[in-house]
Amino acid sequence: MSVWPAIWLTLQLATVTTVILLVISLPYSWWLATTKARSRPLFEAITALPLVLPPTVLGFYLLILMRPDAPFGALFLKVTGETLAFSFTGLVIASVVYSLPFAVQPMQTAFRSVPQATLDAARTLGASSRDAFFSVSLPMASRGVVTAAVLSFAHTVGEFGVVLMVGGNIPGKTRVISIEIFTAVETLDYQTAHVLSAWLLILSLAALTIVYFFNRRGGTRLG
């Protein structure tokens, strides 16, 4: 059994998901860290929901959302001519939703740690809010951004329940590493399952080592 298609597909999915999450989470995390809106706890709870919600439940509702007869799924079908469920695009959307807290929370914590006095000084010197963000806040929160990127990538690589519900088990199209391991065990191919599981174990250990290394240097914590 060739596992390279699953490995390549997983790396593609994790890379695309991480890039999208960084683009979305940077402004969103900044808003959560600085807003005084009373609705902030609600947005924080919604963002953290994938941490406590069973992946199969989240995957089920995403699958319902992506059905061809659902408004969102029907719109995608009309624009692209393809169904959203059981597709790579569907996997990306599900992965972004499922890994969102792993991107938002480290960056939100990092932005909160930026001293308000430093931002006030930047504005006193004539910096706009946008200038203060890019020249002060973002550089000072860089360790949180790195942590978010590493955690998002590693978490996406290890996904199972959500991607199985949304993408199924289509070789070369939606069969990622975690599903490849499940398939190998089902067919009693324990050697393949062992090799892929060991690869994921090493990747997870490396990702956590990087995260704790940056946390130790910068004092950024997840949560």
Side-chain angles (χ1 to χ4, degrees):
M1 178 188 297
S2 175
V3 298
W4 288 110
I7 293 175
W8 175 239
L9 181 66
T10 303
L11 293 177
Q12 285 181 298
L13 177 63
T15 301
V16 173
T17 299
T18 301
V19 171
I20 293 175
L21 279 172
L22 289 178
V23 172
I24 294 174
S25 300
L26 266 174
Y28 182 51
S29 301
W30 169 252
W31 179 79
L32 286 177
T34 58
T35 184
K36 297 180 180 179
R38 293 183 179 180
S39 58
R40 187 182 71 180
L42 175 61
F43 281 96
E44 289 177 324
I46 293 174
T47 302
L49 199 57
L51 294 175
V52 296
L53 197 65
T56 49
V57 174
L58 180 61
F60 170 72
Y61 283 113
L62 287 173
L63 182 62
I64 295 298
L65 182 67
M66 296 178 186
R67 291 186 311 175
D69 57 342
F72 183 61
L75 178 61
F76 184 85
L77 179 61
K78 183 178 180 179
V79 173
T80 66
E82 299 180 359
T83 57
L84 192 55
F86 307 108
S87 69
F88 181 78
T89 304
L91 289 184
V92 170
I93 294 174
S95 299
V96 167
V97 174
Y98 189 45
S99 295
L100 184 63
F102 290 87
V104 171
Q105 291 187 0
M107 286 194 280
Q108 181 184 354
T109 301
F111 284 133
R112 280 179 178 172
S113 67
V114 177
Q116 185 61 44
T118 304
L119 296 176
D120 293 338
R123 294 190 178 97
T124 301
L125 295 174
S128 64
S129 297
R130 181 178 179 181
D131 292 334
F133 173 78
F134 284 105
S135 62
V136 179
S137 296
L138 189 56
M140 294 185 70
S142 60
R143 290 186 177 91
V145 176
V146 172
T147 298
V150 173
L151 288 178
S152 298
F153 187 90
H155 188 250
T156 302
V157 168
E159 288 178 15
F160 177 74
V162 170
V163 295
L164 181 62
M165 292 292 291
V166 173
N169 188 3
I170 306 174
K173 188 175 181 181
T174 62
R175 182 185 287 180
V176 294
I177 291 178
S178 58
I179 298 178
E180 188 75 65
I181 294 172
F182 177 76
T183 303
V185 173
E186 276 195 320
T187 58
L188 304 181
D189 185 3
Y190 292 122
Q191 181 178 359
T192 298
H194 171 66
V195 171
L196 291 176
S197 296
W199 188 83
L200 285 183
L201 177 62
I202 294 172
L203 177 64
S204 300
L205 179 61
L208 289 175
T209 301
I210 293 173
V211 168
Y212 282 115
F213 173 76
F214 274 91
N215 286 349
R216 183 179 180 182
R217 290 183 60 189
T220 302
R221 293 180 174 82
L222 175 63

